[in-house]
Amino acid sequence: MSDFPSVERRGTLIIGNCQAGVQLASSLRELGDTDPIVLLGEEAHPPYQRPPLSKAFLKGEATAESLTFRTPDFYADHHIDIVTGEQIVHISRDARGGEAIAASGRIFGFARLALTVGASPRRIPLDGSDLGGVTYLRDLEDAAALERSLRTAKNVVVIGGGFIGLEVAAGARASGKTVTVLEAAPRLIGRAVSEATSEFYLRAHRRRGTTVVLDARVTRIAGANGSVTGVELGDGSIVPADLVLIGVGVVPRTELAEQLGLSIDNGIVVDSHARTSDGLTVAAGDCANMPNPSITDFGNGRVRLESVQNSVEQAKVAAATLLGLDAEHRTVPWFWSDQADLKLQIAGLSTGHDQVVLRGDPDSEKFSVLYYRDGEIIAADCINCPLDFITVRQALHTGQAIPAGLVTDTSVSLKKLLAAEPALERK
Ligand SMILES: Cc1cc2nc3c(=O)[nH]c(=O)nc-3n(C[C@H](O)[C@H](O)[C@H](O)COP(=O)(O)OP(=O)(O)OC[C@H]3O[C@@H](n4cnc5c(N)ncnc54)[C@H](O)[C@@H]3O)c2cc1C
């Protein structure tokens, strides 16, 4: 610590002022904390929501202003000091607190520290990825640039068939572009959903006119005069493109945690109280790798999730932990993705499922995929079926059963099956 000029070590410094950071600051106040709170981020904008960036924002149905979390009055009234445009590049701490130094040279002292630093897009070392018209999508600047390019683009290529890539592909296709999705794996959204759901999305995007290439091997991005003209595949063919979005996942931001000597394993390792390995600093959101009660028997029982709900719930726990209160992360994970007129809602984690049951007809574009392990429901992907989603989420929360043998009858609501279950058990 002696390397740094001394600054007052008071209050909480939250590094990362988006979903998890905003929730953490709000929760500290809700829990009665009256100490100073600095909610700091490197982006130029006040805290804003990311999910609309690949949805409403690209369609021109949301503006940067409409994405902001809370009003300036909220932060003022709650004495939360919002700092934008400051990137912390050096940090150190001991048991009494520490100092964080920004690239600008500003120093922020703290008694308590929270890392809600999120993740950044995974970059791929591909020839041509620096050409004009090749883009990633994580923040408002990316989205604004993408929205501008989409206005004139004719041929859009999306590298990566995950949620963000498919959301952008669906939006671009709906506005009349020629769209090609290149996915390296044998199926779409393979990390998050079962084959049944992947297969549905493959057909649904193709039905809407998007070309989807699976097992695609992208070898380079071709260009002329500094701008992209196409994407070359392993067989030498070129898919024409004047706009390329690379959406191949994210990498957790661990650089500050590394400086603090914290344990890192696919993100910042935290316990179920959001405490990092130093026992003092907390971490939450996309950057944090936390134990999850629903997967205790799998691997190390931990998972790093990238979702709004996860960021919010972990941040609440982290706030309580900073104040010495006992809180544990035990909520059921859930997630959503909007692709064209298809609303996917996922409840639970399907890790380790041994049975998949289809409820409804995928061709109707309104159905659910239910996942079971040892006869117990553990997760569901619900496509345009919000009631199924709500019911499965409730069942996972309360521990109520939804018998696999009965769910295929779509004339009976899952809610009715839930209610019937105790009677079935008594038989
Ligand atoms: C395009 C897009 C669409 C999405 N759609 C959905 C969806 O439909 N449903 C869903 O549940 N989730 C969705 N997500 C995911 C969701 O937005 C994230 O899970 C959530 O934003 C994570 O919040 P976070 O606070 O952990 O991290 P972030 O939102 O990444 O915020 C972290 C902040 O910390 C800042 N930061 C990092 N390091 C430093 C530093 N050293 N100094 C200062 N600041 C720093 C970063 O710049 C960033 O602003 C989407 C994400 C994207 C990008």
Side-chain angles (χ1 to χ4, degrees):
M1 304 299 299
S2 56
D3 294 349
F4 305 112
S6 88
V7 288
E8 206 180 4
R9 296 176 174 192
R10 282 182 65 225
T12 302
L13 175 65
I14 303 171
I15 305 178
N17 62 6
C18 274
Q19 195 81 52
V22 169
Q23 181 62 51
L24 212 156
S26 310
S27 294
L28 284 172
R29 289 293 179 246
E30 278 162 28
L31 293 168
D33 181 31
T34 54
D35 286 346
I37 299 175
V38 174
L39 177 54
L40 174 149
E42 67 196 0
E43 293 186 58
H45 313 278
Y48 64 91
Q49 310 163 56
R50 290 184 203 284
L53 296 181
S54 49
K55 310 176 181 75
F57 187 84
L58 289 186
K59 291 190 226 156
E61 292 166 4
T63 61
E65 292 70 41
S66 70
L67 301 188
T68 53
F69 285 117
R70 315 285 196 177
T71 60
D73 284 352
F74 172 85
Y75 299 114
D77 293 348
H78 289 78
H79 304 285
I80 296 169
D81 186 6
I82 299 283
V83 177
T84 56
E86 294 285 3
Q87 183 186 26
I88 300 301
V89 290
H90 204 114
I91 191 158
S92 64
R93 72 163 302 160
D94 59 24
R96 290 178 305 113
E99 283 117 31
I101 305 182
S104 66
R106 270 179 84 181
I107 303 176
F108 299 84
F110 57 85
R112 303 188 197 106
L113 176 65
L115 298 176
T116 50
V117 285
S120 49
R122 185 184 300 282
R123 310 264 157 186
I124 44 177
L126 206 55
D127 264 5
S129 54
D130 53 351
L131 286 165
V134 179
T135 177
Y136 290 83
L137 176 55
R138 179 71 190 179
D139 60 28
L140 200 43
E141 310 298 331
D142 297 335
L146 186 56
E147 191 271 328
R148 276 194 303 276
S149 307
L150 273 170
R151 285 185 216 160
T152 51
K154 288 192 174 62
N155 296 307
V156 178
V157 171
V158 174
I159 301 179
F163 289 118
I164 290 177
L166 292 178
E167 287 180 358
V168 173
R173 181 65 205 131
S175 62
K177 315 292 174 192
T178 300
V179 181
T180 305
V181 174
L182 304 174
E183 167 55 53
R187 61 188 178 92
L188 296 175
I189 343 173
R191 280 191 309 133
V193 299
S194 67
E195 281 182 25
T197 308
S198 293
E199 180 62 23
F200 166 74
Y201 275 98
L202 177 65
R203 286 162 179 256
H205 283 280
R206 284 182 173 164
R207 255 197 303 270
R208 284 164 177 76
T210 295
T211 302
V212 181
V213 182
L214 301 175
D215 297 310
R217 197 163 66 81
V218 174
T219 48
R220 76 180 173 105
I221 301 180
N225 304 321
S227 295
V228 63
T229 53
V231 177
E232 188 180 271
L233 298 178
D235 61 4
S237 62
I238 300 240
V239 184
D242 44 14
L243 175 58
V244 172
L245 171 74
I246 304 179
V248 292
V250 297
V251 181
R253 297 277 300 260
T254 54
E255 57 270 23
L256 297 179
E258 280 164 36
Q259 286 186 26
L260 291 168
L262 304 178
S263 294
I264 293 170
D265 178 10
N266 179 26
I268 306 170
V269 172
V270 294
D271 64 14
S272 56
H273 305 278
R275 243 184 327 242
T276 66
S277 58
D278 70 7
L280 301 164
T281 307
V282 294
D286 282 13
C287 67
N289 184 338
M290 194 184 248
N292 190 292
S294 54
I295 53 164
T296 37
D297 295 338
F298 296 88
N300 57 12
R302 308 177 147 275
V303 64
R304 189 181 62 76
L305 296 171
E306 295 155 16
S307 76
V308 166
Q309 178 261 354
N310 176 67
S311 303
V312 167
E313 296 304 329
Q314 288 188 347
K316 289 180 185 170
V317 172
T321 297
L322 278 182
L323 298 180
L325 304 169
D326 190 25
E328 215 172 347
H329 183 63
R330 302 202 67 81
T331 54
V332 175
W334 60 265
F335 180 80
W336 82 93
S337 170
D338 296 333
Q339 297 167 38
D341 50 345
L342 304 168
K343 184 166 201 74
L344 168 67
Q345 292 168 295
I346 301 179
L349 296 175
S350 59
T351 313
H353 66 267
D354 51 27
Q355 188 182 5
V356 174
V357 184
L358 215 57
R359 173 176 160 83
D361 176 9
D363 284 341
S364 71
E365 301 202 331
K366 188 171 160 30
F367 72 107
S368 299
V369 179
L370 285 78
Y371 300 85
Y372 288 82
R373 190 168 61 221
D374 300 327
E376 278 185 29
I377 183 131
I378 55 166
D381 304 334
C382 306
I383 291 98
N384 290 337
C385 281
L387 293 181
D388 283 3
F389 167 72
I390 290 167
T391 311
V392 172
R393 215 174 87 183
Q394 180 191 332
L396 296 175
H397 183 66
T398 57
Q400 284 170 282
I402 301 183
L406 302 182
V407 297
T408 50
D409 182 355
T410 50
S411 67
V412 181
S413 73
L414 286 187
K415 198 164 178 181
K416 281 221 174 85
L417 296 180
L418 256 188
E421 179 55 10
L424 291 172
E425 268 178 359
R426 278 197 298 276
K427 276 189 191 164

